[in-house]
């Protein structure tokens, strides 16, 4: 079995994986980082979004071996201890989550948007979320949360 | 009083773990020495099963066992509700085996299970199983399935009719319709939907040979009901040896209420292989194994007098049940549907008949709203059609027929008695918020841009807080529908509350804690709410039908009352006063008319360190349990208004405005209530514009079998919503709450479709079925039939 070495949430990790192992399986099953979720088999739902080398990626769409040497950030690495990242705090403040299953992917995707666009409009946020499905919130409060989170990120912590 | 009581928009206690990746969903759990199951499913809609050769699969690497229907000789999956034919005979209730016996009846019907050391090994081995299928003609289209000569899903069910049920006096209604000044008729299809909670179903079963105990972790909305149904009917296993845990569950919307084959297979098989077994559905499996929703075909007639007053309403519905009876399926198109057909109106005479049909498709059961969205859609579409035919403003026609504000309690002709409501105020709120008065101008402006603009109103009612057990029992329920709450006050005054309801997104951990904080004056940080474990909560009926707060919250209030009563006795003893003089307010017991006071925490401590305690009359401890059986349903209501703009060149329907004004009674957490409304609205809009479960009419293949084919609503399908509330209190539960979980999904479809039809009226189109996809709308505008 091939071996993969990568950095996850700032820590080096090495794992033996099958050729067919997906990055999300490596994260969940080998590293126990179960915050990243799997909601579909077709790369539609976005529950598995993580950052690979600073960019949001659906971790069900990448083979683990493709992440060799990569710097991966998951939802577990976003907060500093008990201090939520401004995007996480904005989701909580704006009730941008209900069942919580799509939430890690939503937050990771939103952080990438805010990194790229400091002041996204409602329209830009809704377009950006094309690859993230939420069944609970009707997106209303997610959009509000991302707007507030992006503002907070732009303004510094 | 802490600012975390009833009415405060408290931020949710559960959010920290969900936001930091610390949620605990079933697939996140691993048990020591765990194995994995893969379920082999039928590729055919209907086939006789010949030989199943599992030899190669059993010999494959890592495989522990392969079981088929021949091996698993357990009970049938039970149905929790009996509906009767018009002549009083009971519904047909064919067996529902956990693994196919002799026949497969829908694509996805489980045929065999492979258990292996890894998920991949189990899946690989399943490909080595050789199954002899002899394909049979399938009953797919519901109408055709009831005709002579149609293929039979179950040999013992003639014409595939599970029941042919009715409510009301047909002859009386026919006579009124025959003489009425105006009769509006409508044909309606309520499209089949797939719940698609973002978390696929999953389960882990573990057997402890030392104690004989089974533990099942499962993605369920009601773990106690799963334990009861599985233990008593399928596996003949007593409750004390079966523990069911539903930890964090990633959305349900009804689809996770039911007892499923996979849960039973895993519990049974884990004792056979003597290892924990985990199964997680792939999304494709969810599509062909989670119970689906809606799927009605209806003809309705509404008789009106010359002034537009409703005289009689007659409804005839075919309801698709799929291949087997799912847990609550029979109740959905009858007692949760036809009993709602009075809506918000004074219609004095109503007749409804419902024929429920088996087809070779995935079973159909409750999906958000369950029967009530279907009823609302029939009523609110026909009322708007009548308004259009009679050239009466649709808001005015509704107002003319609303039940008066002072008419409560109001007995409808279809069994339900509404306890409170005010449909006029929510209609006016919605009209104002949607700027109904300014619509004509917006339509003109849109027309200048070549767009068709339409507005649609829906004034819904629903029956929630299911349900008084005696009523449910009389109507065929095989269960009670009360709820349990235990309030355990700890020696230092912090509190753990146990409920039999289940939160899978609704925020009970916060809402229930607010009720406790409000009543006991304890800060919300010192309160935890526990749900989802049969070993922790004594009993419960779970969460569905917006019952958690109306029924579970009422049980909680009863338990809190007991805590306060006992606390008063303890406080009276401590302050050497008469119990009758003790008042409890703002977290302290006081002696009326004096400055003597004992804080709640001191009473709790005394209850557990009872050195100075009335032992002769009182037991130590401060831990109370209460059960609450509701006295009636609750009746949330309101008006939803949608505004759409249609592109004539592409048929694209843009939802430009969606307004909701709802009456949910008392509101505990307005932030959570708004969130529930938003989510419901989105699912309702999804039904109206995007979602449709499609089966190939001949092969019975589920054409929309993935998220690439089944159109789930995305963020850019919606505008921001405008929501508001106006409360009339529920008169029969202690909090005055009505429930808010389903309203959006009930009201939005008719509001949106009335808007679409209103827009299309400009080009002479007065009817369209859901979902109003751009293709369908374009074809309608251009006079082209679908291929």
């Amino acid at each position: 079995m091939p071996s993969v070495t990568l950095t996850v949430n700032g820590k080096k990790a090495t794992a033996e994986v099958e050729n067919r192992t997906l990055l999300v399986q490596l994260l969940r099953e080998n590293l126990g980082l179960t915050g990243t979720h799997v909601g579909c088999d077709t790369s539609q739902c976005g529950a598995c979004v993580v950052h690979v080398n600073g960019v949001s990626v659906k971790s069900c769409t990448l083979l683990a071996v493709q992440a060799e040497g990569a710097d991966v950030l998951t939802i577990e690495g976003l907060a500093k201890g008990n201090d939520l990242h401004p995007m996480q705090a904005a989701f909580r403040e704006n009730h941008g989550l209900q069942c919580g299953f799509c939430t890690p992917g939503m937050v990771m995707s939103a952080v990438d948007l805010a990194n790229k666009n400091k002041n996204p409009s409602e329209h830009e946020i809704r377009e950006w979320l094309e690859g993230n499905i939420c069944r609970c919130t009707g997106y209303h409060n997610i959009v509000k949360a991302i707007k507030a989170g992006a503002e907070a990120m732009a303004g510094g912590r | 009083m802490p600012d975390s009581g009833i009415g405060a928009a408290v931020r949710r206690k559960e959010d920290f773990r969900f936001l930091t990746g610390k949620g605990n969903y079933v697939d996140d759990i691993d048990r020591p020495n765990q194995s994995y199951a893969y379920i082999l499913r039928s590729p055919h809609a209907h086939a006789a099963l010949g030989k199943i050769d599992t030899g190669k699969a059993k010999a494959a690497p890592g495989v522990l066992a392969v079981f088929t229907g021949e091996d698993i000789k357990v009970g049938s999956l039970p149905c929790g509700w009996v509906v009767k034919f018009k002549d009083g005979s009971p519904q047909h209730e064919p067996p529902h085996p956990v693994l196919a016996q002799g026949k497969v009846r829908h694509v996805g019907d489980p045929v065999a299970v492979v258990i292996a050391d890894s998920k991949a090994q189990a899946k690989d081995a399943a490909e080595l199983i050789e199954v002899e299928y002899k394909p049979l003609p399938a009953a797919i289209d519901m109408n055709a399935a009831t005709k002579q000569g149609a293929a039979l899903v179950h040999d013992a069910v003639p014409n595939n009719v599970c029941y042919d049920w009715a409510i009301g006096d047909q002859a009386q209604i026919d006579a009124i319709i025959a003489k009425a000044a105006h009769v509006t008729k409508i044909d309606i299809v309520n499209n089949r939907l797939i719940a698609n909670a973002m978390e696929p179903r999953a389960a882990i079963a573990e057997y402890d040979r030392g104690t004989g105990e089974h533990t099942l972790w499962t993605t369920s909305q009601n773990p106690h009901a799963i334990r009861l149904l599985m233990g008593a009917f399928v596996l003949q296993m007593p409750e004390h040896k079966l523990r069911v845990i539903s930890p964090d569950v990633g959305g349900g919307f009804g689809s996770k209420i039911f007892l499923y084959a996979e849960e039973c297979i895993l519990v049974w098989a884990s004792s056979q292989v003597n290892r924990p077994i985990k199964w997680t559905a792939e999304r494709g499996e969810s599509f062909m194994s989670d119970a689906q929703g809606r799927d009605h075909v209806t003809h309705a007639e509404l008789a009106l007098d010359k002034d537009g007053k409703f005289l009689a309403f007659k409804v005839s519905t075919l309801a698709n049940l799929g291949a087997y009876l799912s847990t609550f399926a029979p109740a959905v198109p009858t007692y949760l549907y036809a009993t709602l057909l009075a809506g918000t109106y004074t219609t004095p005479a109503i007749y409804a008949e419902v024929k429920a049909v088996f087809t070779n498709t995935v079973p159909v059961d409750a999906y958000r709203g369950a029967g009530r969205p279907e009823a609302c859609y029939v009523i609110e579409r026909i009322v708007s059609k009548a308004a259009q035919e009679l050239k009466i403003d649709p808001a005015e026609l509704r107002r003319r027929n609303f039940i008066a504000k002072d008419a409560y309690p109001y007995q409808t002709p279809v069994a339900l008695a509404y306890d409170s409501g005010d449909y006029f105020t929510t209609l006016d709120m919605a009209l104002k918020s949607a700027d109904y008065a300014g619509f004509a101008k917006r339509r003109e402006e849109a027309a200048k841009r070549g767009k068709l603009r339409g507005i649609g109103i829906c004034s819904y009612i629903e029956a929630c807080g299911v349900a008084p057990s005696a009523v449910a029992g009389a109507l065929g329920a095989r269960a009670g529908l009360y709820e349990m709450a235990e309030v355990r006050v700890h020696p230092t005054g912090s509190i753990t509350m146990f409920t039999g309801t289940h939160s899978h997104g609704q925020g009970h951990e916060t809402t229930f804690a607010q009720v406790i904080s409000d009543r006991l004056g304890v800060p919300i940080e010192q309160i935890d709410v526990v749900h989802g474990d049969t070993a922790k909560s004594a009993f419960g009926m779970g969460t569905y039908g917006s019952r958690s707060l109306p029924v579970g919250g009422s049980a909680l209030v009863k338990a809190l009352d007991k805590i306060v009563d006992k606390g008063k006795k303890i406080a009276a003893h401590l302050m050497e006063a008469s119990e009758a003089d003790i008042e409890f307010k703002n977290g302290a017991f006081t002696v009326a008319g004096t400055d003597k006071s004992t804080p709640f925490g001191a009473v709790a401590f005394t209850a557990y360190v009872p050195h100075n305690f009335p032992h002769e009359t009182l037991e130590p401890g401060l831990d109370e349990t209460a059960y609450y059986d509701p006295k009636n349903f609750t009746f949330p209501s309101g008006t939803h208004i949608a505004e759409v703009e249609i592109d004539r060149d592409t048929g694209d329907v843009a939802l430009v405005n969606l307004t909701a004004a709802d009456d949910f009674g008392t509101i505990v957490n307005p932030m959570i209530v708004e969130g529930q409304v938003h989510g419901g609205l989105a699912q309702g809009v999804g039904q109206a514009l995007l979602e449709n479960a499609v089966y190939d009419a001949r092969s019975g293949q589920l054409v929309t079998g993935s998220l690439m084919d089944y159109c789930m609503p995305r963020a850019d399908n919606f505008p921001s919503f405008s929501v508001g509330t106006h409360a009339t209190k529920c008169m029969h539960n202690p909090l005055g709450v009505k429930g808010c979980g389903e309203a959006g999904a009930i009201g939005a479809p008719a509001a949106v479709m009335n808007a679409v039809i209103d827009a299309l009226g400009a080009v002479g189109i007065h009817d369209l079925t859901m979902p109003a996809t751009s293709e369908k709308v374009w074809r309608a505008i251009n006079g082209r039939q679908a291929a």
Side-chain angles (χ1 to χ4, degrees):
Chain A
M1 282 205 289
S3 163
V4 186
T5 299
L6 68 175
T7 305
V8 180
N9 301 331
K11 283 188 202 143
K12 272 257 178 323
T14 299
E16 305 277 306
V17 296
E18 290 188 64
N19 291 326
R20 61 183 169 184
T21 302
L22 301 169
L23 176 59
V24 68
Q25 292 172 313
L26 168 76
L27 294 172
R28 287 181 58 83
E29 293 164 21
N30 295 67
L31 305 181
L33 295 170
T34 55
T36 302
H37 297 151
V38 179
C40 73
D41 339 313
T42 52
S43 292
Q44 304 289 299
C45 80
C48 66
V49 169
V50 299
H51 291 187
V52 176
N53 298 326
V55 177
S56 62
V57 165
K58 286 179 174 172
S59 62
C60 75
T61 311
L62 204 66
L63 293 167
V65 291
Q66 289 177 288
E68 172 68 35
D71 190 358
V72 175
L73 179 68
T74 73
I75 191 72
E76 287 92 344
L78 205 56
K80 299 272 177 283
N82 283 337
D83 293 336
L84 294 177
H85 180 278
M87 190 59 77
Q88 290 170 311
F91 267 69
R92 181 168 196 272
E93 184 57 27
N94 291 281
H95 190 30
L97 66 154
Q98 289 182 25
C99 81
F101 197 80
C102 77
T103 307
M106 283 285 176
V107 170
M108 296 311 288
S109 185
V111 170
D112 190 24
L113 169 64
N115 284 338
K116 291 182 164 78
N117 180 348
K118 287 193 185 334
N119 186 22
S121 67
E122 177 179 341
H123 179 75
E124 285 170 331
I125 295 169
R126 288 184 183 275
E127 294 267 306
W128 175 266
L129 291 180
E130 204 238 356
N132 291 81
I133 302 177
C134 169
R135 193 54 149 169
C136 293
T137 63
Y139 304 99
H140 181 107
N141 285 341
I142 290 178
V143 172
K144 265 171 70 182
I146 294 176
K147 194 143 183 48
E151 275 168 26
M153 282 169 65
R157 291 212 167 189
Chain B
M1 176 63 57
D3 55 1
S4 53
I6 292 171
V10 177
R11 298 319 189 246
R12 300 200 317 171
K13 291 166 73 74
E14 41 274 87
D15 285 357
F16 184 83
R17 69 175 188 272
F18 292 145
L19 281 163
T20 53
K22 294 295 174 195
N24 184 37
Y25 302 89
V26 173
D27 191 57
D28 300 342
I29 297 167
D30 284 322
R31 300 298 300 168
N33 203 27
Q34 170 179 290
S35 62
Y36 295 83
Y38 181 80
I39 310 276
L40 181 71
R41 297 176 185 279
S42 169
H44 298 286
H46 198 194
L49 275 179
K51 190 169 180 295
I52 304 176
D53 185 349
T54 60
K56 284 183 203 157
K58 281 178 175 159
V63 171
L64 305 174
V66 180
F67 300 113
T68 69
E70 289 296 302
D71 306 306
I72 303 191
K73 295 292 185 195
V74 298
S76 174
L77 290 166
C79 176
W81 210 294
V82 190
V83 171
K84 291 178 175 165
F85 278 81
K86 288 170 183 166
D87 68 5
S89 56
Q91 70 190 18
H92 291 289
E93 216 172 316
H96 185 181
V98 298
L99 284 174
Q101 306 270 353
K103 242 186 172 191
V104 286
R105 293 186 173 84
H106 67 85
V107 172
D109 208 358
V111 172
V113 58
V114 181
I115 295 148
D117 285 328
S118 79
K119 204 185 297 182
Q121 286 171 330
K123 196 171 176 179
D124 289 345
E127 289 189 16
L128 302 174
I129 299 175
E130 288 167 18
V131 186
E132 250 179 53
Y133 292 104
K134 297 182 192 96
L136 299 167
I140 304 300
D141 176 77
M142 178 164 47
N143 251 310
T146 61
K147 301 288 186 282
Q148 276 296 329
L152 291 183
V153 180
H154 300 276
D155 295 341
V157 182
N159 303 317
N160 293 310
V161 175
C162 174
Y163 56 76
D164 183 1
W165 172 92
I167 187 168
D169 181 341
Q170 184 176 11
Q172 179 209 2
I173 271 86
D174 284 344
I176 299 171
I177 289 174
K179 286 191 294 187
H182 185 83
V183 178
T184 295
K185 300 179 181 181
I186 199 165
D187 286 291
I188 277 180
V189 176
N190 201 293
N191 42 327
R192 185 187 280 228
L193 302 176
I194 298 175
N196 275 321
M198 293 321 299
E199 178 204 27
R201 283 193 298 118
I204 306 171
E206 181 168 328
Y207 176 62
D208 183 333
R209 192 152 277 183
T211 61
E213 282 173 20
H214 296 262
T215 305
L216 171 69
W217 289 261
T218 185
T219 51
S220 176
Q221 299 177 217
N222 51 351
H224 289 85
I226 296 303
R227 181 181 65 168
L228 177 62
L229 293 171
M230 183 188 294
F233 296 97
V234 184
L235 301 180
Q236 280 82 46
M237 194 177 276
E239 282 99 330
H240 70 295
K241 293 296 185 194
L242 176 56
R243 176 180 180 186
V244 179
I245 303 172
S246 297
D248 289 328
V249 171
F253 316 111
S255 68
K256 291 172 180 170
I257 298 172
F258 323 116
L259 176 63
Y260 283 101
E262 295 85 358
E263 295 165 324
C264 303
I265 294 169
L266 255 66
V267 170
W268 179 86
S270 63
S271 63
Q272 302 290 312
V273 302
N274 203 24
R275 278 177 62 180
I277 307 172
K278 182 174 189 172
W279 168 79
T280 305
E282 297 177 2
R283 180 58 62 182
E285 281 186 282
S286 304
F287 271 96
M288 55 182 164
S289 69
D290 293 4
Q292 301 177 354
R294 316 278 192 262
D295 206 348
H296 286 193
V297 174
T298 294
H299 175 78
E301 300 185 4
L302 178 66
L304 303 93
D305 73 10
K306 61 179 177 27
D307 301 320
K309 283 287 277 183
F310 305 159
L311 300 174
F313 191 31
K314 184 180 175 183
V315 174
S316 175
T317 293
L318 279 183
N320 201 335
L321 295 177
Y324 302 99
L325 284 182
S326 175
T327 313
F328 289 114
V332 175
T334 50
Y335 296 111
L336 294 174
Y337 168 71
T339 53
L340 272 300
L341 287 170
T344 47
Y345 308 113
T346 54
T347 318
I350 296 173
Y351 174 79
E353 56 185 9
V354 180
K355 207 180 265 187
V357 184
F358 287 112
T359 57
N360 290 111
T361 61
V362 173
V364 177
D365 205 325
Y367 167 63
R368 200 169 193 166
R372 291 150 289 171
E374 295 92 316
C376 174
Y377 191 68
V378 175
I379 302 164
E380 292 302 299
R381 286 279 294 108
I382 203 168
V383 168
S384 279
K385 191 173 183 210
Q388 185 244 330
E389 288 174 356
L390 295 171
K391 303 199 171 16
I392 301 173
D393 179 273
E396 170 56 24
L397 184 62
R398 284 174 168 82
R399 214 177 269 125
R400 251 180 237 182
N401 287 282
F402 276 160
I403 295 161
K405 286 186 204 182
D406 58 2
Y408 301 96
Y410 181 83
Q411 178 63 53
T412 74
V414 275
L416 298 177
Y418 304 161
D419 63 324
S420 68
D422 174 3
Y423 317 133
F424 297 91
T425 300
T426 44
L427 173 65
D428 288 343
M429 283 171 68
L431 291 173
K432 192 168 172 222
S433 171
D435 186 23
Y436 189 70
F439 173 71
K441 219 176 230 175
R442 295 196 294 281
R443 172 177 267 172
E444 255 173 55
E445 185 275 328
K448 282 182 197 149
R449 289 183 281 112
K451 305 273 178 137
L452 302 170
R453 195 152 172 135
I455 196 162
I457 300 176
C458 170
S459 296
Y460 74 94
I461 194 164
E462 53 168 329
C464 292
V466 288
S469 294
V471 174
L475 299 180
R478 288 165 166 158
L481 288 160
Y482 49 85
E483 195 43 72
M484 188 281 319
E486 180 191 345
V487 176
R488 190 178 297 171
V489 181
H490 302 294
T492 58
S494 66
I495 291 169
T496 307
M497 183 256 173
F498 301 84
T499 172
T501 67
H502 187 276
S503 180
H504 29 281
Q506 298 90 337
H508 296 172
E509 291 170 41
T510 304
T511 306
F512 284 9
Q514 283 182 251
V515 173
I516 297 167
S517 177
D518 192 271
R519 291 285 170 126
L520 298 185
V522 173
I524 201 164
E525 297 74 25
Q526 293 180 28
I527 303 165
D528 267 355
V529 173
V530 173
H531 58 89
D533 187 342
T534 60
K536 293 181 178 170
S537 299
F539 203 69
M541 298 308 297
T543 286
Y544 41 84
S546 303
R547 69 187 299 278
S548 296
L549 200 54
V551 189
S554 299
L556 170 58
V557 169
K558 276 185 74 178
L560 291 171
D561 287 346
K562 290 186 187 180
I563 294 281
V564 171
D565 282 351
K566 185 166 181 181
K568 281 182 178 173
K569 292 187 172 77
I570 298 169
H573 179 86
L574 288 176
M575 295 187 281
E576 296 176 342
S578 158
E579 187 194 331
D581 294 336
I582 304 292
E583 290 174 347
F584 181 67
K585 231 173 27 191
N586 301 330
F589 296 91
T590 54
V591 181
T594 75
D595 59 358
K596 279 194 191 170
S597 175
T598 305
F600 180 77
V603 167
F605 189 79
T606 304
Y608 289 95
V609 187
H611 298 163
N612 178 16
F613 195 84
H615 286 287
E616 308 73 32
T617 55
L618 217 54
E619 298 167 11
L622 197 53
D623 178 0
E624 297 288 350
T625 298
Y627 284 72
Y628 179 82
D629 201 278
K631 298 184 179 75
N632 190 357
F633 292 88
T634 62
F635 299 99
S637 62
T639 291
H640 296 172
I641 297 180
E643 200 165 325
V644 301
E645 210 169 89
I646 295 175
D647 185 313
R648 302 174 70 141
D649 297 328
T650 64
D652 181 59
V653 180
L655 179 67
V656 291
N657 191 8
L658 188 57
T659 300
D662 300 296
D663 177 1
F664 300 131
T666 304
I667 287 172
V668 174
N669 185 322
M671 176 191 80
I672 287 177
V673 166
E674 281 189 12
Q676 289 293 308
V677 175
H678 295 154
L681 290 174
Q683 287 180 350
V685 173
Q687 169 162 34
L689 297 180
L690 305 165
E691 299 179 42
N692 199 18
V694 179
Y695 287 87
D696 182 84
R698 287 188 58 208
S699 69
Q701 294 296 326
L702 177 61
V703 178
T704 51
S706 81
L707 293 179
M708 298 179 77
D709 309 296
Y710 183 91
C711 189
M712 289 280 279
R714 307 302 209 271
D716 61 357
N717 295 123
F718 302 106
S720 278
F721 306 130
S722 161
V723 304
T725 56
H726 167 75
T728 64
K729 284 192 179 186
C730 170
M731 303 303 286
H732 57 78
N733 66 42
L735 290 168
V737 295
K738 297 186 178 183
C740 67
E742 298 157 294
I746 292 169
V752 172
M753 287 308 290
N754 283 338
V756 169
I757 303 287
D758 183 49
L760 292 174
V763 289
I765 295 161
H766 299 292
D767 190 26
L768 199 79
T769 56
M770 297 189 287
T773 60
S774 52
E775 182 197 348
K776 201 185 281 176
V777 172
W778 184 89
R779 285 183 188 282
I781 293 174
N782 290 278
R784 311 271 180 89
Q785 293 299 309

